[in-house]
Amino acid sequence: MNTEKVFMIVTAQVNPNGQEALKSYLQASGPIFEKAGGAAVVKYKIESQIVGDQAMSLVSIMEFPSQEILEEVFKSKEYLATLPLRNKAFFKLEVFVGK
């Protein structure tokens, strides 16, 4: 098992009509990420875009103990149960892994 720390980088376009779903998604998913050893690094609200045509609302970065642990979170029953909320909260959501 690789124990090198990784960063989960999230870019998202929030659905302005999904604020309740967003709140519920964050309340449900936050403890799941924390239980897996995830720690918030930074979160930014995007104010303007200089290059590109895929407008995003926010960027969030979290640190995890390993990529394997992070991938297991997204496969877990607990996280999969949050998908309906996630789908209502975001028009677009992308998750990347960095080292």
Side-chain angles (χ1 to χ4, degrees):
M1 176 189 229
N2 184 350
T3 58
E4 184 177 2
K5 289 185 179 182
V6 297
F7 295 91
M8 175 179 76
I9 303 147
V10 177
T11 61
Q13 185 179 34
V14 175
N15 176 358
N17 297 320
Q19 292 300 313
E20 284 300 315
L22 176 62
K23 182 179 176 182
S24 296
Y25 169 75
L26 294 174
Q27 288 175 339
S29 65
I32 297 168
F33 290 126
E34 289 174 14
K35 182 179 170 186
V41 174
V42 69
K43 183 177 177 181
Y44 295 106
K45 179 180 176 186
I46 303 299
E47 295 296 326
S48 64
Q49 183 170 346
I50 297 173
V51 177
D53 59 1
Q54 296 293 316
M56 293 292 156
S57 305
L58 65 90
V59 174
S60 176
I61 300 174
M62 292 184 76
E63 183 179 67
F64 283 84
S66 72
Q67 184 167 345
E68 289 84 2
I69 289 171
L70 176 56
E71 290 175 359
E72 287 301 316
V73 169
F74 283 92
K75 295 176 189 174
S76 71
K77 289 180 186 178
E78 295 84 6
Y79 184 78
L80 292 174
T82 71
L83 293 183
L85 292 170
R86 187 183 82 180
N87 293 339
K88 289 179 185 174
F90 301 101
F91 284 136
K92 183 173 183 146
L93 181 81
E94 295 183 333
V95 178
F96 305 93
V97 177
K99 294 184 181 180

